[in-house]
Amino acid sequence: MHRTKPPRRHPSRQVAAICAICFTALAAAGCSYSGGIENPLIRKATWFSYLNGDDIRDRCESLPDRFEVRLVYNGKFTEQVRSYEIKSDGAGGARVTARAMPQDAGNLLKFRLSDPLATGRWEQSTVTLSPAEREQLVARLADSGVFRRAPSGIDLKSWGSYWVSIACRDGEVFFNAWKAGSERWDQQQLWQIVRPLDNTGVPFYEPHPARFADSPTITRSSGDRQAADIHFLMTTGDNGLIGLP
């Protein structure tokens, strides 16, 4: 008896179907971040909520004794983003989780059907701090303005370098931001502070002001649709971000 073989599904179509299902599920979740930033699908759907620290705000409101800090460095969104999560360990110390976009992020040569999201996953490391080390870290963060609020009206362009911080301390939320090329930039030393706590092995992308040559005006006129699509501009408002895409 002759048996007809079932049609063979192309691997790329299988991956596309999986991604479509995942994106649909994430869209249904309302794009509010609640964890899993290392997953590229979650990161894509909830990035602006993560930057604004929506999850930290919720925890700070419900747990007034909580201590938590998130630092995000945007070297250039298409080249490098780094984040640092600093959380109390419940014994007076803290855990610092560093994440960084590898230089070959999105390299299709690393694609594996067994782990289709591997090409978009960031490098990660964790460091544990003693109570004395945590106290020293908190003091240095305070000196850089992490426990102060940013003035309204700071434009943060994805094609330029900036730091964003969101902190919960003593029941209060503090949002701050610094963009390269501004007077406020020299008031912070965040990279110098977190560098000894970063074991990701990813080199630091040197900061630069947002350049017109990298703006969507240029990328669109040059026909680079993909580059133009991933530009975004945010502005600081009342203790947070406004104008989110």
PDB file of all heavy atoms in Angstrom, residues 8 14 35 45 61 81 84 94 96 105 111 114 156 167-168 176 195 198 219 223 235 240:
ATOM      1  N   ARG A   8       6.280  18.307   4.498  1.00  0.00           N
ATOM      2  CA  ARG A   8       7.315  18.693   5.455  1.00  0.00           C
ATOM      3  C   ARG A   8       7.301  20.203   5.664  1.00  0.00           C
ATOM      4  O   ARG A   8       7.378  20.969   4.700  1.00  0.00           O
ATOM      5  CB  ARG A   8       8.690  18.258   4.945  1.00  0.00           C
ATOM      6  CG  ARG A   8       9.809  18.528   5.921  1.00  0.00           C
ATOM      7  CD  ARG A   8      11.120  18.022   5.362  1.00  0.00           C
ATOM      8  NE  ARG A   8      12.213  18.267   6.304  1.00  0.00           N
ATOM      9  CZ  ARG A   8      13.464  17.934   6.055  1.00  0.00           C
ATOM     10  NH1 ARG A   8      13.787  17.338   4.901  1.00  0.00           N
ATOM     11  NH2 ARG A   8      14.407  18.185   6.949  1.00  0.00           N
ATOM     12  N   GLN A  14       8.118  27.245  10.703  1.00  0.00           N
ATOM     13  CA  GLN A  14       7.789  26.820  12.059  1.00  0.00           C
ATOM     14  C   GLN A  14       8.156  27.914  13.061  1.00  0.00           C
ATOM     15  O   GLN A  14       7.387  28.235  13.963  1.00  0.00           O
ATOM     16  CB  GLN A  14       8.541  25.536  12.394  1.00  0.00           C
ATOM     17  CG  GLN A  14       8.030  24.316  11.654  1.00  0.00           C
ATOM     18  CD  GLN A  14       8.842  23.088  11.987  1.00  0.00           C
ATOM     19  OE1 GLN A  14      10.056  23.167  12.136  1.00  0.00           O
ATOM     20  NE2 GLN A  14       8.176  21.966  12.120  1.00  0.00           N
ATOM     21  N   GLY A  35       8.336  41.003  34.301  1.00  0.00           N
ATOM     22  CA  GLY A  35       9.450  40.083  34.461  1.00  0.00           C
ATOM     23  C   GLY A  35       9.826  39.424  33.152  1.00  0.00           C
ATOM     24  O   GLY A  35       9.050  39.411  32.190  1.00  0.00           O
ATOM     25  N   ALA A  45       8.014  43.527  23.458  1.00  0.00           N
ATOM     26  CA  ALA A  45       6.637  43.932  23.744  1.00  0.00           C
ATOM     27  C   ALA A  45       6.519  44.868  24.939  1.00  0.00           C
ATOM     28  O   ALA A  45       5.556  45.618  25.036  1.00  0.00           O
ATOM     29  CB  ALA A  45       5.774  42.691  23.969  1.00  0.00           C
ATOM     30  N   GLU A  61       4.704  50.568  45.839  1.00  0.00           N
ATOM     31  CA  GLU A  61       3.447  51.015  46.437  1.00  0.00           C
ATOM     32  C   GLU A  61       2.905  49.978  47.414  1.00  0.00           C
ATOM     33  O   GLU A  61       2.380  50.321  48.474  1.00  0.00           O
ATOM     34  CB  GLU A  61       2.421  51.287  45.334  1.00  0.00           C
ATOM     35  CG  GLU A  61       1.092  51.802  45.837  1.00  0.00           C
ATOM     36  CD  GLU A  61       0.134  52.119  44.714  1.00  0.00           C
ATOM     37  OE1 GLU A  61       0.558  52.127  43.539  1.00  0.00           O
ATOM     38  OE2 GLU A  61      -1.046  52.370  45.013  1.00  0.00           O
ATOM     39  N   VAL A  81      22.514  48.022  24.521  1.00  0.00           N
ATOM     40  CA  VAL A  81      21.721  48.416  25.680  1.00  0.00           C
ATOM     41  C   VAL A  81      22.192  47.549  26.845  1.00  0.00           C
ATOM     42  O   VAL A  81      22.468  46.362  26.672  1.00  0.00           O
ATOM     43  CB  VAL A  81      20.213  48.209  25.442  1.00  0.00           C
ATOM     44  CG1 VAL A  81      19.420  48.613  26.678  1.00  0.00           C
ATOM     45  CG2 VAL A  81      19.742  49.009  24.233  1.00  0.00           C
ATOM     46  N   TYR A  84      20.885  47.084  34.754  1.00  0.00           N
ATOM     47  CA  TYR A  84      21.381  46.626  36.054  1.00  0.00           C
ATOM     48  C   TYR A  84      20.224  46.639  37.042  1.00  0.00           C
ATOM     49  O   TYR A  84      19.578  47.673  37.237  1.00  0.00           O
ATOM     50  CB  TYR A  84      22.527  47.518  36.540  1.00  0.00           C
ATOM     51  CG  TYR A  84      23.690  47.516  35.569  1.00  0.00           C
ATOM     52  CD1 TYR A  84      23.722  48.415  34.507  1.00  0.00           C
ATOM     53  CD2 TYR A  84      24.709  46.587  35.684  1.00  0.00           C
ATOM     54  CE1 TYR A  84      24.749  48.397  33.580  1.00  0.00           C
ATOM     55  CE2 TYR A  84      25.752  46.556  34.768  1.00  0.00           C
ATOM     56  CZ  TYR A  84      25.761  47.457  33.715  1.00  0.00           C
ATOM     57  OH  TYR A  84      26.786  47.421  32.782  1.00  0.00           O
ATOM     58  N   ALA A  94      22.685  42.815  49.023  1.00  0.00           N
ATOM     59  CA  ALA A  94      21.943  43.021  47.784  1.00  0.00           C
ATOM     60  C   ALA A  94      22.477  42.106  46.691  1.00  0.00           C
ATOM     61  O   ALA A  94      23.602  41.616  46.765  1.00  0.00           O
ATOM     62  CB  ALA A  94      22.032  44.478  47.334  1.00  0.00           C
ATOM     63  N   VAL A  96      23.038  42.077  42.493  1.00  0.00           N
ATOM     64  CA  VAL A  96      23.101  42.940  41.314  1.00  0.00           C
ATOM     65  C   VAL A  96      23.130  42.048  40.074  1.00  0.00           C
ATOM     66  O   VAL A  96      24.066  41.261  39.881  1.00  0.00           O
ATOM     67  CB  VAL A  96      24.351  43.834  41.330  1.00  0.00           C
ATOM     68  CG1 VAL A  96      24.360  44.753  40.105  1.00  0.00           C
ATOM     69  CG2 VAL A  96      24.410  44.651  42.616  1.00  0.00           C
ATOM     70  N   ALA A 105      24.451  40.327  18.640  1.00  0.00           N
ATOM     71  CA  ALA A 105      23.019  40.077  18.851  1.00  0.00           C
ATOM     72  C   ALA A 105      22.300  40.006  17.512  1.00  0.00           C
ATOM     73  O   ALA A 105      22.495  40.843  16.640  1.00  0.00           O
ATOM     74  CB  ALA A 105      22.416  41.190  19.705  1.00  0.00           C
ATOM     75  N   PHE A 111      21.646  30.810  15.082  1.00  0.00           N
ATOM     76  CA  PHE A 111      20.269  30.335  15.186  1.00  0.00           C
ATOM     77  C   PHE A 111      20.216  28.815  15.343  1.00  0.00           C
ATOM     78  O   PHE A 111      20.899  28.071  14.632  1.00  0.00           O
ATOM     79  CB  PHE A 111      19.477  30.751  13.945  1.00  0.00           C
ATOM     80  CG  PHE A 111      18.056  30.257  13.960  1.00  0.00           C
ATOM     81  CD1 PHE A 111      17.087  30.930  14.683  1.00  0.00           C
ATOM     82  CD2 PHE A 111      17.699  29.115  13.264  1.00  0.00           C
ATOM     83  CE1 PHE A 111      15.778  30.474  14.715  1.00  0.00           C
ATOM     84  CE2 PHE A 111      16.401  28.650  13.290  1.00  0.00           C
ATOM     85  CZ  PHE A 111      15.441  29.333  14.012  1.00  0.00           C
ATOM     86  N   SER A 114      16.391  24.363  18.282  1.00  0.00           N
ATOM     87  CA  SER A 114      16.143  23.959  19.660  1.00  0.00           C
ATOM     88  C   SER A 114      15.991  25.148  20.589  1.00  0.00           C
ATOM     89  O   SER A 114      15.416  25.035  21.670  1.00  0.00           O
ATOM     90  CB  SER A 114      17.285  23.060  20.157  1.00  0.00           C
ATOM     91  OG  SER A 114      18.517  23.763  20.091  1.00  0.00           O
ATOM     92  N   LEU A 156      14.963  61.948  25.149  1.00  0.00           N
ATOM     93  CA  LEU A 156      15.825  60.766  25.076  1.00  0.00           C
ATOM     94  C   LEU A 156      15.613  60.098  23.716  1.00  0.00           C
ATOM     95  O   LEU A 156      14.535  59.557  23.448  1.00  0.00           O
ATOM     96  CB  LEU A 156      15.495  59.793  26.213  1.00  0.00           C
ATOM     97  CG  LEU A 156      15.565  60.377  27.630  1.00  0.00           C
ATOM     98  CD1 LEU A 156      15.107  59.338  28.653  1.00  0.00           C
ATOM     99  CD2 LEU A 156      16.972  60.863  27.952  1.00  0.00           C
ATOM    100  N   ALA A 167      14.108  53.977  40.916  1.00  0.00           N
ATOM    101  CA  ALA A 167      14.464  53.458  42.239  1.00  0.00           C
ATOM    102  C   ALA A 167      13.267  53.498  43.178  1.00  0.00           C
ATOM    103  O   ALA A 167      12.444  54.417  43.128  1.00  0.00           O
ATOM    104  CB  ALA A 167      15.614  54.270  42.830  1.00  0.00           C
ATOM    105  N   CYS A 168      13.200  52.478  44.040  1.00  0.00           N
ATOM    106  CA  CYS A 168      12.224  52.435  45.124  1.00  0.00           C
ATOM    107  C   CYS A 168      13.010  52.443  46.428  1.00  0.00           C
ATOM    108  O   CYS A 168      13.818  51.538  46.679  1.00  0.00           O
ATOM    109  CB  CYS A 168      11.360  51.181  45.029  1.00  0.00           C
ATOM    110  SG  CYS A 168      10.320  50.900  46.482  1.00  0.00           S
ATOM    111  N   ASN A 176      15.004  59.115  37.210  1.00  0.00           N
ATOM    112  CA  ASN A 176      15.972  60.110  36.751  1.00  0.00           C
ATOM    113  C   ASN A 176      16.522  59.696  35.392  1.00  0.00           C
ATOM    114  O   ASN A 176      16.437  58.516  35.011  1.00  0.00           O
ATOM    115  CB  ASN A 176      17.113  60.284  37.756  1.00  0.00           C
ATOM    116  CG  ASN A 176      17.655  61.710  37.781  1.00  0.00           C
ATOM    117  OD1 ASN A 176      17.465  62.464  36.824  1.00  0.00           O
ATOM    118  ND2 ASN A 176      18.316  62.078  38.858  1.00  0.00           N
ATOM    119  N   ARG A 195      30.533  49.187  36.692  1.00  0.00           N
ATOM    120  CA  ARG A 195      31.541  48.409  35.949  1.00  0.00           C
ATOM    121  C   ARG A 195      32.139  47.269  36.763  1.00  0.00           C
ATOM    122  O   ARG A 195      32.255  46.142  36.256  1.00  0.00           O
ATOM    123  CB  ARG A 195      32.640  49.346  35.437  1.00  0.00           C
ATOM    124  CG  ARG A 195      33.687  48.648  34.579  1.00  0.00           C
ATOM    125  CD  ARG A 195      34.674  49.641  34.017  1.00  0.00           C
ATOM    126  NE  ARG A 195      35.636  49.007  33.143  1.00  0.00           N
ATOM    127  CZ  ARG A 195      36.589  49.660  32.481  1.00  0.00           C
ATOM    128  NH1 ARG A 195      36.697  50.972  32.605  1.00  0.00           N
ATOM    129  NH2 ARG A 195      37.426  49.006  31.705  1.00  0.00           N
ATOM    130  N   ASP A 198      29.836  44.179  36.831  1.00  0.00           N
ATOM    131  CA  ASP A 198      29.405  43.661  35.534  1.00  0.00           C
ATOM    132  C   ASP A 198      30.384  42.598  35.051  1.00  0.00           C
ATOM    133  O   ASP A 198      31.521  42.904  34.691  1.00  0.00           O
ATOM    134  CB  ASP A 198      29.326  44.813  34.525  1.00  0.00           C
ATOM    135  CG  ASP A 198      28.715  44.398  33.196  1.00  0.00           C
ATOM    136  OD1 ASP A 198      28.903  43.243  32.785  1.00  0.00           O
ATOM    137  OD2 ASP A 198      28.067  45.252  32.557  1.00  0.00           O
ATOM    138  N   THR A 219      17.818  58.096   7.851  1.00  0.00           N
ATOM    139  CA  THR A 219      17.621  56.688   7.498  1.00  0.00           C
ATOM    140  C   THR A 219      16.438  56.492   6.561  1.00  0.00           C
ATOM    141  O   THR A 219      16.479  55.663   5.667  1.00  0.00           O
ATOM    142  CB  THR A 219      17.423  55.838   8.766  1.00  0.00           C
ATOM    143  OG1 THR A 219      16.351  56.382   9.550  1.00  0.00           O
ATOM    144  CG2 THR A 219      18.691  55.818   9.603  1.00  0.00           C
ATOM    145  N   GLY A 223      16.424  55.302   2.406  1.00  0.00           N
ATOM    146  CA  GLY A 223      15.716  54.076   2.068  1.00  0.00           C
ATOM    147  C   GLY A 223      15.927  52.947   3.041  1.00  0.00           C
ATOM    148  O   GLY A 223      15.536  51.806   2.775  1.00  0.00           O
ATOM    149  N   THR A 235      10.355  61.471  26.316  1.00  0.00           N
ATOM    150  CA  THR A 235      10.593  62.703  27.062  1.00  0.00           C
ATOM    151  C   THR A 235      10.268  62.468  28.532  1.00  0.00           C
ATOM    152  O   THR A 235       9.305  61.769  28.852  1.00  0.00           O
ATOM    153  CB  THR A 235       9.723  63.851  26.520  1.00  0.00           C
ATOM    154  OG1 THR A 235       9.971  64.012  25.124  1.00  0.00           O
ATOM    155  CG2 THR A 235      10.041  65.156  27.230  1.00  0.00           C
ATOM    156  N   GLY A 240       8.689  60.334  35.512  1.00  0.00           N
ATOM    157  CA  GLY A 240       8.571  59.211  34.618  1.00  0.00           C
ATOM    158  C   GLY A 240       8.709  59.650  33.171  1.00  0.00           C
ATOM    159  O   GLY A 240       9.139  60.772  32.886  1.00  0.00           O
TER     160      GLY A 240
END
